[in-house]
Amino acid sequence: MKDRKHWLYASLALVGGIFGGAVSGHWFPPTGADAAVRGARALRAEKFVLIDHDGTERGVMDVNSRGEAEVALKDGTGRSRGEFKVRRDGASAIGFYDQNGNKRVVLGATPSERNGLAIYGNNGRQIAGFTVAEDNQSSVTLYDPANGRARVGLGVAADGEPALVLFDQNGRDRAELHVNDKGKPGLSLADESGKSIAGLPMQGSQPPEQ
């Protein structure tokens, strides 16, 4: 069971790795505007500012001090509501914010082909995530809105094996359900220390005689 669930742990970690730390604050890479300057009518500048008819700043397109090409769009009150960025290494992301400046949705991709979607609650904690790794394994993770720990993980491994994992309030794996590549299901239950307390099929059990 430990080997079978290893791929799921890796997938569950993607959301935290890609969108937990890297995207915290206002980090977001986009698909760069690849409109290379090829004609006399092209404009070249480090920064463009978009204003409305009242002169209020509504958007900015620039390359920031970290070397990220970015587009930031604001609402009528000047609050940043959407960002689109690309880092030097090619990592890219789109982020959406609420009226209080808290990130609510992040969609991103990395050069290593780890792609995902993260959704945040109004307290700034991630509450849901969907990721796909380079080898095509995918997972959906639901988090506890109170402490940010994973509570439910649903995934499909690269070889097509599905699995469901349930965690307690401390983030410990307490129940797992899977179906292997031969179509045989398995169930495992663990106590708070991680020790297995029940499972189906039982280890070493023999099928009943016909």
Side-chain angles (χ1 to χ4, degrees):
M1 194 65 179
K2 294 298 182 182
D3 292 337
R4 191 173 302 285
K5 70 187 180 184
H6 177 71
W7 65 268
L8 182 57
Y9 283 152
S11 293
L12 295 180
L14 291 182
V15 175
I18 299 176
F19 305 108
V23 201
S24 58
H26 277 39
W27 183 97
F28 297 107
T31 60
D34 241 348
V37 179
R38 293 190 179 90
R41 296 183 180 181
L43 298 177
R44 297 172 62 102
E46 291 185 0
K47 183 177 182 179
F48 292 92
V49 177
L50 178 67
I51 61 174
D52 63 17
H53 62 279
D54 294 324
T56 302
E57 184 175 307
R58 298 295 303 277
V60 176
M61 178 186 297
D62 69 348
V63 177
N64 62 32
S65 60
R66 296 183 297 277
E68 298 169 348
E70 61 181 350
V71 176
L73 301 179
K74 304 178 181 181
D75 62 20
T77 63
R79 297 186 181 94
S80 179
R81 303 302 291 267
E83 293 186 353
F84 181 40
K85 300 184 182 180
V86 175
R87 293 193 321 210
R88 289 182 182 274
D89 62 2
S92 58
I94 300 174
F96 299 93
Y97 301 88
D98 62 17
Q99 65 273 16
N100 297 316
N102 300 316
K103 59 179 177 291
R104 301 303 298 268
V105 180
V106 177
L107 175 66
T110 70
S112 61
E113 300 303 324
R114 290 183 176 181
N115 310 315
L117 170 69
I119 300 175
Y120 297 80
N122 55 16
N123 59 0
R125 294 185 184 278
Q126 184 176 332
I127 58 176
F130 173 71
T131 64
V132 177
E134 185 177 9
D135 61 359
N136 293 325
Q137 65 182 16
S138 59
S139 71
V140 176
T141 310
L142 304 180
Y143 297 86
D144 189 326
N147 58 31
R149 294 190 177 97
R151 298 302 301 270
V152 180
L154 175 65
V156 178
D159 60 4
E161 297 184 22
L164 172 68
V165 181
L166 303 180
F167 303 88
D168 64 17
Q169 67 276 15
N170 297 312
R172 298 187 182 95
D173 178 2
R174 302 300 294 272
E176 300 178 16
L177 175 66
H178 72 270
V179 178
N180 67 20
D181 57 359
K182 294 179 173 46
K184 298 185 180 300
L187 173 65
S188 177
L189 304 178
D191 62 18
E192 62 276 6
S193 66
K195 181 180 179 181
S196 181
I197 56 176
L200 292 172
M202 299 297 291
Q203 293 291 332
S205 62
Q206 298 295 326
E209 295 183 359
Q210 300 296 325

